[in-house]
Amino acid sequence: MTLVGRFQFDKETLKKYSNQTIFAGILMMVLGLVGVFAPTLMSVVTVYFLAWLFLFSGIVQGYNTWKSYNGHLGAWLKPTISIITAFLLMFFPLPGVAATAILLVVYLLMDAYSSLTLGWQYRPNKGWWLMLVNGILSIVLAIILLIGWPVSSLVLVGLFVGISLFFDGAALVGMGLGARKIGEDEIKEQKEANDSQKKEGDTQ
């Protein structure tokens, strides 16, 4: 087993983890750059993404309600609200961006807490400080977004989603490279130990 921060992995899992983490990080960085260079587009895309999430959630909840609680009108409240919210976001995206800005503030603060905690647990391995930087940046972005709300929401939502995705991706790439280096170092140490044992055997 290999120790990465406070987590333990076997060699195959560590290799798979590092490759998947690097791939996911690069993908997030690319999406983040889209948000940075086309913030208005990213804002609208974010709103429509949320709209489809609400719609899907409302349909699933409605189906479950119809199957299980079709006799209780109160049980239909949640799926109805979800579907109505979805259509409001789809047909009125600009007010939806302002509302999304508040959700984004909450997300950024939660992301900051998660990044700071994970970075602290991951130390002293390579790339741990990137998670701390990402957490601090998320707090700064949340404060700026609150100060500019709602006037600058159309630009800032997409821009900040892009920045957050980019640095989240950079942090993941850093962690993946760090995990890969740990695995390579362990393989190298194991090979050296095997060579040393082989030489001792040949000498005897």
Side-chain angles (χ1 to χ4, degrees):
M1 299 295 287
T2 303
L3 184 65
V4 181
R6 299 182 182 179
F7 309 101
Q8 286 189 334
F9 301 92
D10 59 69
K11 293 179 181 178
E12 288 300 321
T13 303
L14 181 63
K15 182 179 179 180
K16 185 178 179 181
Y17 162 81
S18 62
N19 291 337
Q20 291 179 346
T21 301
I22 293 171
F23 175 77
I26 293 174
L27 180 61
M28 290 176 68
M29 290 176 70
V30 172
L31 292 175
L33 289 176
V34 173
V36 170
F37 291 105
T40 302
L41 174 63
M42 181 62 82
S43 294
V44 176
V45 169
T46 301
V47 169
Y48 277 101
F49 176 74
L50 288 175
W52 281 104
L53 282 182
F54 274 112
L55 182 61
F56 178 76
S57 175
I59 292 173
V60 172
Q61 292 170 4
Y63 176 79
N64 290 334
T65 300
W66 176 65
K67 283 289 187 180
S68 306
Y69 305 102
N70 56 329
H72 303 279
L73 292 177
W76 288 94
L77 181 61
K78 190 173 181 179
T80 301
I81 291 176
S82 295
I83 293 174
I84 291 175
T85 301
F87 283 113
L88 286 174
L89 290 174
M90 287 180 182
F91 291 107
F92 303 99
L94 295 183
V97 171
T100 302
I102 299 300
L103 295 176
L104 182 57
V105 169
V106 176
Y107 161 77
L108 287 170
L109 293 176
M110 293 177 64
D111 179 65
Y113 174 78
S114 176
S115 295
L116 292 173
T117 302
L118 183 59
W120 191 255
Q121 291 179 339
Y122 192 69
R123 74 187 197 289
N125 295 300
K126 183 179 178 180
W128 72 274
W129 60 272
L130 286 172
M131 296 302 293
L132 295 184
V133 172
N134 182 64
I136 295 171
L137 179 65
S138 293
I139 294 175
V140 173
L141 292 179
I143 294 173
I144 295 175
L145 190 55
L146 276 176
I147 293 175
W149 189 87
V151 179
S152 55
S153 297
L154 183 59
V155 174
L156 290 183
V157 167
L159 178 62
F160 287 2
V161 167
I163 293 174
S164 182
L165 283 174
F166 182 84
F167 279 93
D168 279 344
L172 286 177
V173 170
M175 290 179 65
L177 291 174
R180 177 179 290 179
K181 186 176 185 302
I182 292 171
E184 290 174 350
D185 290 344
E186 183 168 300
I187 292 173
K188 183 178 179 181
E189 291 175 1
Q190 185 65 43
K191 183 179 179 181
E192 290 175 352
N194 291 337
D195 291 342
S196 177
Q197 291 177 358
K198 185 177 179 180
K199 288 180 180 178
E200 291 178 359
D202 293 340
T203 302
Q204 294 175 356

